[in-house]
Amino acid sequence: MKNLGEMLLRTEPFSEIVLGNTALARAMIESGTEVVTSYPGSPTPEIASALLSVPGEKRPFYFQFSTNEKVATEVACGASLNGHPSCVFFKSVGLNVAADSFVQLSLLELEGGLVAVLGDDPGANSSQNEQDNRHFARMAYIPVLEPSSPSEAYRYYLEAMALSRRQKMPVILRMTTHVCHGKEKVAFGAWKGGTVSTESRFDTSGGPMVPLTTAALEMKRRSLARLSLAGCEMDSPAFCEVRKGTDSSRGVITAGLPFRSLLDVLEDSDRTPDILKLGAVYPLPEKAVEEFLRTHGQVKVLEELDDVLEKDIKALAFDRGIRVSITGKTDDDDRIGEFTPDKVAEVLAKTWPDMVPLRGAKRQPSLAPRPPQMCPGCGHRSAFHAIRQALAKEDITVADIGCHTLGFLPPYEMGEVLLSMGHSTGTGAGLSLFNRSRKVVSFIGDSTFFHAGLPGVVNAVFNNHNLTLIVMENGTTAMTGHQDHPGAGRNANGPSEAIPVRGVLEGLGVKSIREVDAYSQAKLIELVKEAMAEEGFSVVIARHPCMLKYTREQQRNPDYVRKSVEVNQETCDRLHVCVESFGCPSFQRDEDGTVTVSRELCIGDGSCIQTCPVKAIGLRKENRGGETA
């Protein structure tokens, strides 16, 4: 098996089949990026996994998981101001957290250069919305490159960093889910090797760094001038590719994943349009677009999510008096979902049915859909099963971002509102106002607690809001791949001092704090009832390690023996609490009502044993001498 860290540090040119995210990691190393920061969020975590595969003592870069995206942006910005080529990356909605500082970046002289890799998520595969971050780029005056494949991700990052360093301005590399996770054979260049420079080049002589009064206006003027220069550099064949088709009267302008899907759709078509693929999407490459518009009678703009390119292209055609029929979005469905080949075929057929006939009825999946659910042994499942019993039917529960968000689904149905990371305490506080008849319980994970949860806690203490916050502590950032956080006692560079959740709560002035293992369901029920009975703000910490992470670590032990539970069929009276209320996917109910346990799924943690009213669940006989997890 190839060693990823060794591959990333190879000095000679080579080719390898890699993820788009892995290609980005190599591009960071080749380009001399010295400081990389992030907050984990899909579809970008594999960038960090690749970077961290390089042993610490061999890394030609510094990497950190920051407490949230805003801090990650600020650390990368500070490093760039000091002359270090820097990169920050995070998922689409992470830009909302970073925005307060992010929109200021273009005003500064970024001596070392800074590339922001944004993982947008058309289709909302792992996000609470489909937001299109090209809008942020326009607001912040930051140019955007958009690759359509892993090879382009690699090449565009090199170009983005070079452009950023030349112009001393930020550049956005907009990735989307399929490009991040797509695999392709990428031809990498040579790398000379190197280490992080210790020279400080921070210098304010190039202009003001504090945007106050008239200085802010001059800084904006400088930002706009650099954006214009960047646009000229990006309006070139390096980022604008024209592919000739068989029907020269019609053309498609597209970018990113839709381009790859379009090629799939047209593969067997007799009539194909000319295609202008844009690698630079902001500022619009006006020269390339104008030339394409003037040589076609009909043009289709094919883009995921919002009509950003469409509006710019139509405005360009109007301003320059180009007589051409331009069609973009035709209905609301065109603004929703990923532009996979099936979707592109439907969108294109609505404009040119003769060129791309509809493919008929949508293909049905061969397997029944699987609802998202928590892993076997997850402490959140045990906690929700218990907390549900502590609540009255009319009580209000507020969800937050994390694995525990899945508690919204049956059978737990915990968490009726969701906005963003860390919102639950603030939203719960609002729900508690003028509300004496219904109790409010908010949930938050430990990683989210450190990410964006602290201001809500401070607010609840300061205003003495009447609600209970349950901190679901599992010791990791589990949803995105078990990254560390300030409470874990480790960071990307090795061991660190753990910051205890309870200590932080006490430091913020929280007086009512209770702690319990999430597997201790009876005790958890008792503590939640006690907390809810109090007036004011109370916290219950329901703690249990992430069992997926724990089990994987245990499996590395050569003496590891897999455990599982079993159902005593003589004792079981088929009340189905294990299936319908506890809901562990390890339990399988047959058509006749018999409940069995899938040994492939069960990890033998034993959290389910206490849930059976007739005590029909127990460890398998051959494992009864072993310890439960």
Side-chain angles (χ1 to χ4, degrees):
M1 183 175 181
K2 295 178 181 177
N3 184 294
L4 180 57
E6 292 178 359
M7 182 196 78
L8 291 174
L9 294 182
R10 289 174 66 175
T11 56
E12 73 282 2
F14 67 99
S15 297
E16 191 62 67
I17 298 175
V18 296
L19 292 173
N21 283 338
T22 306
L24 285 177
R26 170 67 184 194
M28 291 176 192
I29 292 171
E30 277 190 39
S31 66
T33 304
E34 294 182 345
V35 174
V36 185
T37 62
S38 177
Y39 182 81
S42 187
T44 63
E46 294 84 3
I47 302 173
S49 300
L51 292 173
L52 293 177
S53 70
V54 179
E57 68 278 5
K58 295 183 178 180
R59 291 176 193 167
F61 55 84
Y62 169 84
F63 175 80
Q64 73 166 224
F65 281 123
S66 305
T67 48
N68 65 25
E69 294 88 352
K70 181 174 184 289
V71 176
T73 298
E74 291 157 354
V75 173
C77 172
S80 179
L81 289 172
N82 205 26
H84 300 289
S86 301
C87 173
V88 61
F89 65 89
F90 40 74
K91 71 177 296 172
S92 56
V93 291
L95 188 49
N96 302 332
V97 180
D100 200 24
S101 293
F102 193 89
V103 297
Q104 301 295 108
L105 292 178
S106 67
L107 301 181
L108 304 177
E109 287 279 301
L110 297 174
E111 180 67 29
L114 191 155
V115 175
V117 177
L118 303 182
D120 274 13
D121 192 16
N125 299 281
S126 58
S127 309
Q128 62 267 42
N129 67 28
E130 285 192 304
Q131 76 180 51
D132 190 329
N133 280 325
R134 292 177 295 176
H135 295 295
F136 265 107
R138 300 173 72 95
M139 181 169 60
Y141 309 119
I142 301 177
V144 182
L145 299 179
E146 185 168 337
S148 67
S149 66
S151 290
E152 285 188 356
Y154 161 72
R155 182 166 66 86
Y156 284 10
Y157 183 91
L158 297 178
E159 296 281 0
M161 180 55 77
L163 173 61
S164 179
R165 298 189 71 176
R166 283 195 302 272
Q167 300 290 350
K168 299 183 181 180
M169 68 184 300
V171 176
I172 292 172
L173 187 67
R174 181 178 183 253
M175 303 284 287
T176 55
T177 303
H178 270 73
V179 180
C180 283
H181 295 159
K183 277 190 172 184
E184 185 180 30
K185 190 169 188 177
V186 180
F188 296 110
W191 174 59
K192 295 180 180 179
T195 58
V196 178
S197 168
T198 58
E199 178 188 357
S200 174
R201 299 203 299 274
F202 179 68
D203 182 5
T204 59
S205 63
M209 295 290 186
V210 182
L212 291 178
T213 62
T214 56
L217 305 183
E218 287 306 311
M219 293 167 76
K220 179 179 179 181
R221 190 182 309 278
R222 183 177 62 190
S223 173
L224 291 170
R226 284 191 300 222
L227 182 66
S228 179
L229 288 173
C232 293
E233 288 197 45
M234 293 158 59
D235 196 353
S236 71
F239 299 111
C240 303
E241 175 187 350
V242 176
R243 292 202 176 196
K244 290 293 185 179
T246 59
D247 185 346
S248 60
S249 67
R250 293 188 273 194
V252 176
I253 302 178
T254 188
L257 175 70
F259 168 69
R260 298 291 166 183
S261 295
L262 178 62
L263 295 184
D264 284 350
V265 170
L266 298 176
E267 194 171 27
D268 299 319
S269 177
D270 293 331
R271 301 185 64 188
T272 57
D274 293 343
I275 302 171
L276 172 60
K277 184 189 80 69
L278 302 179
V281 296
Y282 179 75
L284 185 72
E286 294 184 353
K287 179 181 176 182
V289 171
E290 179 179 357
E291 183 177 339
F292 193 79
L293 293 177
R294 290 191 183 280
T295 54
H296 295 85
Q298 300 176 53
V299 170
K300 174 73 175 178
V301 181
L302 195 67
E303 59 183 322
E304 285 179 311
L305 303 183
D306 298 337
D307 51 352
V308 176
L309 288 174
E310 178 185 342
K311 287 179 177 177
D312 283 351
I313 291 168
K314 286 181 174 178
L316 176 69
F318 178 83
D319 289 344
R320 302 192 180 180
I322 304 172
R323 299 182 62 84
V324 56
S325 172
I326 303 173
T327 306
K329 309 289 185 186
T330 59
D331 54 41
D332 287 345
D333 282 345
D334 288 356
R335 300 173 182 267
I336 300 170
E338 295 176 284
F339 270 39
T340 58
D342 283 350
K343 176 85 171 184
V344 167
E346 293 174 8
V347 170
L348 205 57
K350 284 185 285 188
T351 301
W352 295 326
D354 62 316
M355 182 174 286
V356 187
L358 284 173
R359 297 182 174 186
K362 292 184 178 180
R363 294 191 295 268
Q364 296 298 317
S366 57
L367 299 174
R370 294 178 58 192
Q373 54 189 314
M374 289 173 277
C375 303
C378 180
H380 299 339
R381 173 181 290 105
S382 183
F384 282 135
H385 181 70
I387 294 167
R388 191 181 187 195
Q389 299 174 61
L391 303 181
K393 185 177 181 180
E394 64 272 14
D395 290 339
I396 301 171
T397 55
V398 183
D400 215 300
I401 300 294
C403 296
H404 57 89
T405 312
L406 297 175
F408 166 74
L409 301 172
Y412 322 107
E413 297 177 337
M414 305 289 283
E416 301 162 275
V417 184
L418 178 67
L419 294 180
S420 61
M421 288 190 76
H423 89 102
S424 61
T425 309
T427 302
L431 284 163
S432 73
L433 296 174
F434 310 107
N435 183 1
R436 290 291 174 182
S437 60
R438 305 171 71 183
K439 296 290 185 179
V440 180
V441 175
S442 293
F443 298 95
I444 194 168
D446 48 346
S447 183
T448 304
F449 173 81
F450 289 107
H451 171 280
L454 301 184
V457 173
V458 172
N459 184 71
V461 173
F462 177 63
N463 291 292
N464 194 31
H465 285 298
N466 187 34
L467 79 151
T468 296
L469 174 67
I470 299 179
V471 180
M472 313 283 274
E473 184 178 350
N474 62 9
T476 187
T477 310
M479 177 174 259
T480 52
H482 305 125
Q483 295 86 5
D484 300 313
H485 62 65
R490 183 175 178 82
N491 63 36
N493 300 293
S496 67
E497 188 72 28
I499 303 174
V501 171
R502 183 182 186 115
V504 174
L505 290 167
E506 291 173 341
L508 295 177
V510 180
K511 303 299 183 186
S512 176
I513 306 173
R514 295 168 172 84
E515 296 180 85
V516 63
D517 190 304
Y519 274 14
S520 300
Q521 295 174 12
K523 185 67 175 176
L524 179 55
I525 293 171
E526 175 188 340
L527 295 186
V528 171
K529 286 182 176 179
E530 288 179 3
M532 292 173 63
E534 296 178 349
E535 287 294 315
F537 182 56
S538 59
V539 177
V540 177
I541 302 173
R543 179 183 293 116
H544 197 83
C546 169
M547 292 305 290
L548 178 61
K549 183 174 185 287
Y550 175 84
T551 303
R552 286 176 175 173
E553 291 170 348
Q554 292 297 304
Q555 287 173 342
R556 298 189 184 104
N557 187 332
D559 298 326
Y560 171 77
V561 176
R562 181 160 189 156
K563 294 172 280 190
S564 63
V565 301
E566 62 183 351
V567 177
N568 186 324
Q569 300 300 335
E570 295 180 0
T571 306
C572 178
D573 59 4
R574 300 184 180 181
L575 294 174
H576 298 140
V577 173
C578 56
V579 177
E580 296 179 1
S581 298
F582 188 63
C584 179
S586 300
F587 291 104
Q588 313 286 318
R589 179 167 54 185
D590 297 333
E591 291 184 3
D592 64 358
T594 301
V595 177
T596 57
V597 178
S598 168
R599 297 193 68 175
E600 287 74 26
L601 293 176
C602 182
I603 64 171
D605 58 281
S607 60
C608 55
I609 294 174
Q610 61 194 304
T611 67
C612 181
V614 297
K615 310 298 182 187
I617 304 172
L619 289 174
R620 287 187 179 271
K621 292 180 181 179
E622 63 268 28
N623 292 322
R624 287 190 186 274
E627 293 289 324
T628 57

